[in-house]
Amino acid sequence: MATKILLVEDEPKVSAFIRRGLEEEGFVVEVAYDGHFGQRLALSTDCDLLILDVILPGQSGLDVLKAVRAQDQDLPILMLTALGTTQDKLVGFDGGADDYLVKPFDFVELLARVRALTRRRSRGGDKGSQLTLADLTLNMASKTVTRAGQPVRLTAREFNLLELLMRHQGRVLSRSEIAEHTWEESFDTGSNVIDVYVNYLRNKVDKGFGKKLIHTVVGMGYVMREE
């Protein structure tokens, strides 16, 4: 069955370019040209990937992102926008985006990210349903996390980062490895997006508990282990 993509993009030339390129690669693409219609389609139709602009008429892409994530935590969402600062990316990731591509872009890169996101979705059911470390439990099926029996509320981005760290317990992961496997993109050397998200995760997973599970290895990266 063909992979279905919903593209919410108000620039006709850009949307036509993306749609034509993706359809030539075998994807089925539906297009919405404003935020309100895009949100209705995202919440009412069955699609495998949402490609979402930020600046849209009627309603911003960030509002659409928030509405979709309130109903669906699993749908892969790629933000496609001209807003490309680190802060812009953090806002998108914090809202639940899985990836972020800045305009202008090369279609080859867009295609690579589309394939990575849809591939990750298709193989999601093959992963183990539960990961544990000390008193921390991550459940893949229910997308929930608990620490010492207490629920830990995470964004989609934080959940993916925690999953990566827990699947590689005891091994130091570099920032580039985290970017490749969790963000599906490379960051500029000076970007602190990953460090910011690790700190977000620490505040939710470790803060208030006697035993710290997320550790920094100076000059190398991050590791999840019992002290």
Side-chain angles (χ1 to χ4, degrees):
M1 183 179 295
T3 299
K4 299 178 182 178
I5 296 174
L6 173 60
L7 170 64
V8 186
E9 167 61 64
D10 66 312
E11 298 180 43
K13 289 183 179 180
V14 176
S15 61
F17 166 71
I18 294 173
R19 182 175 193 168
R20 182 172 61 253
L22 291 176
E23 288 181 341
E24 287 177 355
E25 295 295 328
F27 296 99
V28 174
V29 183
E30 185 168 8
V31 180
Y33 297 97
D34 66 76
H36 289 302
F37 186 48
Q39 180 175 315
R40 287 200 300 271
L41 286 178
L43 296 178
S44 62
T45 61
D46 184 19
C47 61
D48 300 297
L49 173 67
L50 172 61
I51 301 177
L52 183 62
D53 194 0
V54 172
I55 302 175
L56 293 166
Q59 180 169 268
S60 79
L62 293 175
D63 289 334
V64 176
L65 174 66
K66 182 179 179 180
V68 173
R69 278 292 175 248
Q71 181 172 311
D72 190 339
Q73 290 290 318
D74 297 325
L75 175 65
I77 301 176
L78 167 62
M79 305 302 290
L80 185 64
T81 174
L83 303 177
T85 69
T86 296
Q87 184 57 39
D88 290 325
K89 292 181 179 182
L90 285 173
V91 171
F93 287 137
D94 200 35
D98 294 284
D99 203 349
Y100 198 107
L101 182 60
V102 179
K103 299 176 182 177
F105 59 90
D106 188 318
F107 180 77
V108 173
E109 182 176 6
L110 172 64
L111 181 61
R113 297 191 186 203
V114 165
R115 284 175 171 163
L117 288 170
T118 54
R119 184 168 59 245
R120 188 170 69 191
R121 178 177 175 84
S122 67
R123 70 173 182 244
D126 297 333
K127 296 180 177 180
S129 61
Q130 187 165 290
L131 302 172
T132 59
L133 176 63
D135 57 353
L136 177 69
T137 299
L138 181 150
N139 190 296
M140 290 298 301
S142 62
K143 299 293 183 182
T144 57
V145 176
T146 59
R147 177 96 197 250
Q150 302 177 31
V152 179
R153 301 183 69 86
L154 302 179
T155 65
R157 175 62 54 190
E158 292 162 352
F159 185 92
N160 291 340
L161 176 57
L162 180 61
E163 179 194 350
L164 177 70
L165 292 170
M166 291 187 72
R167 287 190 182 280
H168 296 85
Q169 296 174 29
R171 184 166 82 82
V172 178
L173 296 176
S174 68
R175 289 168 179 80
S176 62
E177 286 181 292
I178 293 173
E180 178 183 354
H181 291 92
T182 307
W183 268 261
E184 308 264 7
E185 67 171 84
S186 298
F187 290 101
D188 295 334
T189 305
S191 173
N192 66 339
V193 170
I194 292 171
D195 303 298
V196 168
Y197 266 85
V198 170
N199 284 332
Y200 285 169
L201 202 55
R202 277 181 167 144
N203 286 334
K204 295 182 178 182
V205 170
D206 279 345
K207 190 174 182 179
F209 296 93
K211 183 182 294 184
K212 306 304 178 186
L213 300 178
I214 303 173
H215 305 274
T216 301
V217 180
V218 178
M220 298 180 67
Y222 298 99
V223 60
M224 201 152 192
R225 64 181 177 223
E226 292 189 66
E227 292 180 318

